[in-house]
Amino acid sequence: MAGPSYGPQVLDHYLHPRHVGSFDPQDPRVGTALVGSPALGQVLKLQIRVQGSSIESACFRAFGCGAAIAAGSLAADWLQGRSLDQALDIRSQDIVQALDLPPAKLHCALLAQDAIRAVVADYAHKRS
């Protein structure tokens, strides 16, 4: 990877991403978010499947730099087992800190935060 030097957490999630995949967006238990911009080279698709009052599982697909992929992987990992309210408590600063992102890559954590907000909103909209 060219560009900024990444720490071990970014490299781990980039080289061994967790929860890559997708769910059926027509499933009423599934929320889907697609955030970012192909023109800017960063796109994150995040999905959750909810069972009862908690997120049973999460998955993602990312197009972009290593930090964007790592942020998507970490977000999907963190969402599993949380309630929707707990999911909304995840902030970009938490992702930055956990991955030890360099300042030039803070937007990748914001992308993941936006995806979390959008996926919860999509699921809530499906349920209303």
Side-chain angles (χ1 to χ4, degrees):
M1 287 185 301
S5 86
Y6 293 116
Q9 290 298 334
V10 172
L11 289 174
D12 183 38
H13 278 275
Y14 171 71
L15 296 172
H16 310 285
R18 285 80 156 159
H19 318 291
V20 175
S22 60
F23 301 134
D24 177 2
Q26 302 306 314
D27 183 333
R29 298 177 306 136
V30 171
T32 302
L34 185 63
V35 299
S37 167
L40 298 176
Q42 305 271 40
V43 177
L44 177 59
K45 176 183 174 186
L46 184 64
Q47 291 182 296
I48 57 172
R49 185 169 45 224
V50 178
Q51 182 67 43
S53 62
S54 68
I55 298 169
E56 171 187 69
S57 54
C59 62
F60 84 102
R61 291 191 185 272
F63 172 78
C65 66
I69 293 166
S73 174
L74 183 67
D77 202 34
W78 279 0
L79 287 172
Q80 300 200 98
R82 292 185 186 228
S83 71
L84 296 176
D85 287 340
Q86 290 170 329
L88 293 174
D89 286 339
I90 297 171
R91 305 269 185 245
S92 63
Q93 303 94 304
D94 302 325
I95 296 166
V96 167
Q97 187 174 21
L99 294 175
D100 193 24
L101 290 176
K105 294 298 177 176
L106 299 183
H107 64 278
C108 296
L110 287 169
L111 189 71
Q113 178 183 288
D114 290 348
I116 292 168
R117 304 281 180 280
V119 79
V120 170
D122 181 68
Y123 175 76
H125 177 73
K126 283 173 111 173
R127 304 297 292 170
S128 60

